[in-house]
Amino acid sequence: MIFSLDKLLEILVYLVAYGQIFISPYTKVEESFNIQACHDILYHSRDLDKYDHHQFPGVVPRTFLGPLAVSIFAWISKFLFNLSKLGTQYAVRIVLATRIVQCLVNFSTQLNKNPRYYGVKFWMMVLTVSQFHLLFYSSRPLPNIFALGLVLPALTGYAQQNTKRFVLFSAAAILIFRAELAILLGFMLIYHLAEANTIDRLKQTFISGFSALAVYVPVSVLVDSYFWRRWLWPELEVLYFNTILNKSGEWGVMPFTWYFYSALPRSLMTSLPAIFIFPFIARKSEVFKYLLPTLAFVFVYSFLPHKELRFIIYSLPLFNYCIAVVFATIWNKRTVSLKWKLGSYCVVLSLLANVALTLVMTFVSSINYPGGQALVNLHNLEKGNTNVRVHLDVASCQTGITRFLQANDNWEYDKTENMTNQELVDQFTHLLILKDDFNSQPMAIIKENFEIIDEVKGMDLIKETINFRFPRFSNSNSTIYVVKNKN
């Protein structure tokens, strides 16, 4: 064979990650800062006055180091292939996905070197492909995903018992992108030091830790102070906002156990029960090294009131390793007895069920960006028209619109909030507006002066097609209207 089975699976992981980009090419509001930063670096370079974050700074500052690194590689594609703006957004996400997948492959390759669990890399790759969230998020320009690109090499060093690699990558992830990773990687560091109980390992930890502190913090301060035009260390301000001020709850409060009853079951799908078998199959050292620190991280992080799956995305490869050990053990023993043979059937059924659920989630996600699709549709509808001034409402901007989609240099795009209805009528030829707002009584003057030329239903497509009320979005509509001024 030209390629081994493991190599073919690696290629498949890349293809699935890239496929998610093309199926769901737009981004959500959580990704706004980083995707806009990539655009501005690529298209405005040192002209900071045109940068989006100076016009719409957000609640807390974020680092430019991630967007800067990704933009360097995306620029190569933009230059070589003369990409359009939307094409460049694809390139940005492909660069990020490539980094994450390569790190996943390296991590699983290192874990595969354990002779006790033959074929664990195979099962980790299969699990990753069968599940939705990890590869879907792999190309999303979120601070958590930029951090994941450093956490995975840190975990590889952890598996190698390479203190220097583990500490340096861990410190970069914590100090630059996500300070809360000190919980997960801190628990792992405790085990790492206790595992060997040597002065050399402790010494290397301090040397690497202080070296990282002396390099990463100044680099972040210098680079980010330049882009933000004030002295700051972004991750310190984020940490202060989310933990000291405890204001993350302003974005919603979930029950303490939400990660355990909602986020992890949705992410790990039908393979989740294998985690409970892991302690009975794996060595005690493996349980203490991989499973317990991960569970402890999710537990401690549950004390923060606002919860999102992406906040614990780093736990998924570790949980998948535990599941892969169980699946590999069951599969390798399938000819030993009826018990193991039945177990192997359960493994196959679990993976098939995961794939079925992933296909459903992939479809749902593909229609979950009505704002982005509406703006693309408007460009197609008004192709050749240079006299377009379009206002983008909050709902549109939160569901897919980025500066990469503002593709016509002759058009004016405006996302100013709290404009009066009369200002919208007088100043704009087109509006992207939420259906509920357009049909509301306070917007009657808008309805009188604008006609609907297109609509993108988003999640409303599912609600109109299937007679089932989805609790998460049943109380609001997502349809975006594209409307044109009659005058």
Side-chain angles (χ1 to χ4, degrees), residues 296-437:
F297 163 67
V298 178
F299 175 78
V300 172
Y301 206 63
S302 296
F303 282 95
L304 281 180
H306 181 60
K307 299 173 178 66
E308 294 184 38
L309 190 155
R310 62 189 175 96
F311 295 163
I312 60 164
I313 194 80
Y314 333 100
S315 69
L316 300 188
L318 291 161
F319 282 130
N320 272 343
Y321 168 64
C322 298
I323 297 169
V325 167
V326 175
F327 280 13
T329 303
I330 292 173
W331 191 259
N332 294 338
K333 294 184 177 181
R334 68 189 183 280
T335 59
V336 174
S337 67
L338 179 61
K339 175 183 69 174
W340 295 106
K341 187 174 184 179
L342 291 175
S344 68
Y345 292 154
C346 292
V347 167
V348 174
L349 289 174
S350 172
L351 293 171
L352 291 175
N354 287 354
V355 171
L357 290 169
T358 294
L359 291 174
V360 172
M361 290 182 176
T362 299
F363 167 72
V364 171
S365 295
S366 71
I367 61 172
N368 198 23
Y369 302 86
Q373 190 60 56
L375 186 55
V376 170
N377 291 356
L378 176 60
H379 283 107
N380 293 329
L381 290 168
E382 297 292 347
K383 189 180 296 184
N385 184 355
T386 59
N387 183 32
V388 172
R389 299 183 305 279
V390 57
H391 182 266
L392 316 169
D393 74 349
V394 173
S396 301
C397 292
Q398 290 181 339
T399 57
I401 290 179
T402 69
R403 287 188 164 193
F404 283 109
L405 268 63
Q406 298 176 11
N408 195 318
D409 293 334
N410 296 313
W411 290 15
E412 294 181 24
Y413 304 87
D414 194 307
K415 56 179 182 178
T416 304
E417 299 180 26
N418 302 318
M419 297 187 72
T420 66
N421 293 340
Q422 191 60 54
E423 287 175 330
L424 293 174
V425 172
D426 294 341
Q427 297 180 25
F428 298 101
T429 61
H430 298 76
L431 308 176
L432 265 60
I433 185 169
L434 190 66
K435 173 184 176 181
D436 286 354
D437 291 342

Side-chain angles (χ1 to χ4, degrees), residues 93-279:
R93 293 186 58 195
I94 287 172
V95 168
L96 186 55
T98 302
R99 168 66 182 178
I100 299 303
V101 172
Q102 184 58 57
C103 291
L104 278 170
V105 169
N106 292 343
F107 179 48
S108 61
T109 300
Q110 178 59 41
L111 293 171
N112 201 52
K113 294 179 181 179
N114 188 338
R116 180 179 172 87
Y117 309 122
Y118 174 75
V120 73
K121 177 183 177 180
F122 169 85
W123 291 106
M124 283 189 71
M125 294 291 97
V126 171
L127 279 164
T128 301
V129 168
S130 75
Q131 297 163 347
F132 171 74
H133 286 96
L134 189 54
L135 293 184
F136 174 79
Y137 273 110
S138 68
S139 65
R140 300 270 154 199
L142 294 158
N144 314 82
I145 302 304
F146 283 111
L148 185 61
L150 296 171
V151 171
L152 288 168
L155 295 178
T156 303
Y158 181 65
Q160 295 169 332
Q161 299 187 23
N162 185 329
T163 303
K164 183 177 180 180
R165 179 188 177 101
F166 173 55
V167 173
L168 288 177
F169 277 105
S170 296
I174 293 166
L175 297 172
I176 298 173
F177 291 108
R178 299 297 301 193
E180 75 273 6
L181 279 164
I183 302 170
L184 173 63
L185 299 169
F187 283 136
M188 290 184 157
L189 179 61
I190 292 171
Y191 179 84
H192 180 71
L193 294 175
E195 181 183 30
N197 194 25
T198 64
I199 297 299
D200 287 343
R201 185 168 288 191
L202 184 62
K203 181 180 177 181
Q204 183 63 64
T205 298
F206 276 105
I207 293 173
S208 300
F210 282 114
S211 299
L213 193 64
V215 174
Y216 298 149
V217 174
V219 168
S220 177
V221 169
L222 289 173
V223 172
D224 292 313
S225 296
Y226 168 78
F227 282 103
W228 284 97
R229 291 176 165 173
R230 66 181 177 89
W231 288 104
L232 81 166
W233 175 16
E235 196 51 32
L236 182 62
E237 294 196 16
V238 174
L239 180 67
Y240 178 76
F241 181 87
N242 287 333
T243 57
I244 306 301
L245 299 180
N246 198 23
K247 288 193 174 182
S248 66
E250 294 178 0
W251 279 263
V253 175
M254 287 78 169
F256 181 85
T257 54
W258 183 83
Y259 285 129
F260 294 97
Y261 75 74
S262 179
L264 289 176
R266 283 186 288 117
S267 303
L268 302 175
M269 298 182 168
T270 63
S271 307
L272 174 65
I275 291 176
F276 299 100
I277 303 173
F278 178 73

